[in-house]
Amino acid sequence: MKYSDINVLFFNTTLKKSPAISNTDGIIERSRELFEKQGAQVEVIRGIDHDIATGVQPDMTKEGWARDEWPELYEKVKAAHIVIIAGPIWLGDNSSETKKIIERLYANSGDMNDKGQAIYYGKVGAAMITGNEDGVKHCSSNILYSLQHIGFTIPPEADAGWIGEVGPGPSYLDEGSGGPENDFTNRHITFMTWNTLHFAR
């Protein structure tokens, strides 16, 4: 079965403007290849390359902003069947660009489609996360909750991420994990312990 009638829209919420290399683009491209192999139409928008105002109104130029490209980008959202928010982990959480895209999607959540249904009714949402620190599940759950709350349908296993080798592996105390011997981890455990002691004093 081919899916040439399906439009897929990725929002890359990296903090790097083009043409800087984005690790998030790397994970997006793996998915994009699979979509396109099945005939789906795919577009990737790097949010930071656009002048998207901060706020939760559909057009922030009506709220005092000089420019706001969101209304044009929103037309692409309306045309999409699948919307995937893909971004990095910073300080264990989603990037500010991820939050901005979610807020702007929320701004239009009161709109209706031509059948009188909520505008995101029937659209499928998903999340992709990259980084070199923990937080894939936390970041994904935030995105997926937000999307379902404004009307997107979230299928099972609607997230993917990379923070090293993702998948089953040894836990911290499992034999051979290297956790207890890890210098970086032990150093930060020591800092935490002594700093909390000093502040308690």
Side-chain angles (χ1 to χ4, degrees):
M1 178 182 293
K2 288 294 181 180
Y3 297 91
S4 57
D5 58 335
I6 298 298
N7 295 323
V8 182
L9 180 63
F10 285 93
F11 280 107
N12 179 349
T13 58
T14 179
L15 300 182
K16 301 173 183 174
K17 290 181 85 62
S18 297
I21 293 173
S22 162
N23 291 299
T24 303
D25 264 341
I27 196 170
I28 287 173
E29 285 305 307
R30 298 303 300 270
S31 178
R32 180 180 190 154
E33 290 170 7
L34 295 172
F35 276 125
E36 291 183 340
K37 188 174 182 180
Q38 299 305 316
Q41 309 302 306
V42 180
E43 182 172 3
V44 180
I45 295 171
R46 192 183 290 205
I48 203 164
D49 288 343
H50 297 270
D51 198 352
I52 303 171
T54 299
V56 290
Q57 297 301 319
D59 183 351
M60 292 303 295
T61 63
K62 297 178 180 177
E63 307 296 324
W65 287 74
R67 283 189 44 75
D68 186 9
E69 289 186 46
W70 178 254
E72 292 79 20
L73 297 176
Y74 175 57
E75 292 303 312
K76 297 177 182 291
V77 175
K78 289 198 292 183
H81 301 96
I82 300 169
V83 176
I84 301 171
I85 298 179
I89 300 170
W90 288 112
L91 297 173
D93 209 342
N94 285 308
S95 73
S96 54
E97 286 295 309
T98 300
K99 297 291 189 179
K100 181 185 284 187
I101 295 299
I102 289 171
E103 287 167 350
R104 298 314 301 274
L105 288 167
Y106 175 74
N108 294 100
S109 61
D111 294 352
M112 300 292 172
N113 63 22
D114 56 7
K115 297 179 181 178
Q117 301 162 322
I119 195 67
Y120 302 129
Y121 182 82
K123 295 185 185 298
V124 175
M128 300 182 82
I129 304 296
T130 57
N132 60 2
E133 57 188 77
D134 194 13
V136 167
K137 289 187 172 82
H138 168 74
C139 292
S140 294
S141 65
N142 180 267
I143 293 170
L144 297 177
Y145 169 79
S146 299
L147 291 177
Q148 69 82 28
H149 184 74
I150 60 176
F152 283 85
T153 297
I154 308 300
E157 299 181 276
D159 63 314
W162 185 92
I163 52 167
E165 185 177 357
V166 175
S171 295
Y172 181 74
L173 291 177
D174 289 347
E175 185 176 350
S177 73
E181 297 80 32
N182 186 279
D183 287 339
F184 182 87
T185 301
N186 288 334
R187 187 164 63 248
H188 283 271
I189 290 171
T190 303
F191 291 162
M192 179 209 70
T193 303
W194 279 104
N195 289 343
T196 55
L197 283 173
H198 287 314
F199 272 72
R201 175 60 65 197

